[in-house]
């Protein structure tokens, strides 16, 4: 289980030094994510990707639930009012089929919307990022959170700890 630690760094020089210190602390590069103002030269940093900076994951989860629910409901209505063979409702075939189709369609459409929506988790940092600060998100084992926080506080007094996210998504 991992937790995400948020840090605000004043500039790119500090961000690059922090990246080096995290690598020396044996944090894999794939668990380190930086967000900066658009157009910033992120050379030497592991920039956050669309999974970290957009609402695509949350939107896909909502699309899955809504799509499956509506698909199952539509499947039940179709099975009852328009039976495929004879007068018996074919609930066992139509309901799961339309629920699966609805879930897949819901994931697809919701993720298309979510990919263009900024992450709700990062909204609180938008003003600082626009002023030129750099956001660091580092995903660490729950057992190492305290030691990594202490290490960064000692090595980078210019950085500000902005908190820990208790439940990061499994894959971004």
């Amino acid at each position: 289980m991992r937790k995400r630690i948020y840090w605000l760094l004043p500039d790119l020089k500090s961000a690059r030094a922090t990246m080096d210190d995290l690598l020396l602390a044996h944090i894999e590069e794939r668990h380190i994510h930086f967000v900066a103002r658009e157009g910033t030269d992120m050379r030497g940093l592991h920039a956050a990707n669309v999974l970290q900076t957009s609402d695509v994951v949350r939107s896909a989860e909502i699309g899955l639930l809504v799509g499956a629910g509506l698909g199952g409901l539509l499947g039940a209505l179709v099975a009852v009012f328009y039976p495929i063979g004879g007068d018996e409702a074919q609930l066992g075939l139509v309901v799961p089929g339309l629920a699966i189709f609805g879930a897949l369609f819901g994931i697809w459409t919701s993720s298309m919307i979510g990919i263009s929506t900024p992450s709700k988790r990062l909204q609180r940092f938008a003003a600082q990022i626009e002023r030129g600060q750099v956001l660091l998100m580092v995903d660490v084992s729950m057992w190492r959170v305290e030691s990594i926080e202490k290490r960064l506080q000692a090595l980078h007094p210019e950085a500000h700890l902005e908190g820990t996210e208790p439940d990061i998504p499994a894959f971004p």
Side-chain angles (χ1 to χ4, degrees), residues 122-143:
L122 303 184
Q123 268 183 337
R124 63 185 170 135
F125 305 113
Q128 292 96 329
I129 291 170
E130 280 305 309
R131 284 195 301 264
Q133 291 184 348
V134 180
L135 175 66
L136 164 64
M137 298 178 287
V138 60
D139 302 333
V140 297
S141 164
M142 59 189 254
W143 311 112

Side-chain angles (χ1 to χ4, degrees), residues 140-157:
V140 297
S141 164
M142 59 189 254
W143 311 112
R144 294 192 65 197
V145 169
E146 190 175 326
S147 66
I148 295 298
E149 286 177 353
K150 285 181 181 178
R151 177 184 178 94
L152 290 180
Q153 285 173 340
L155 295 174
H156 299 281

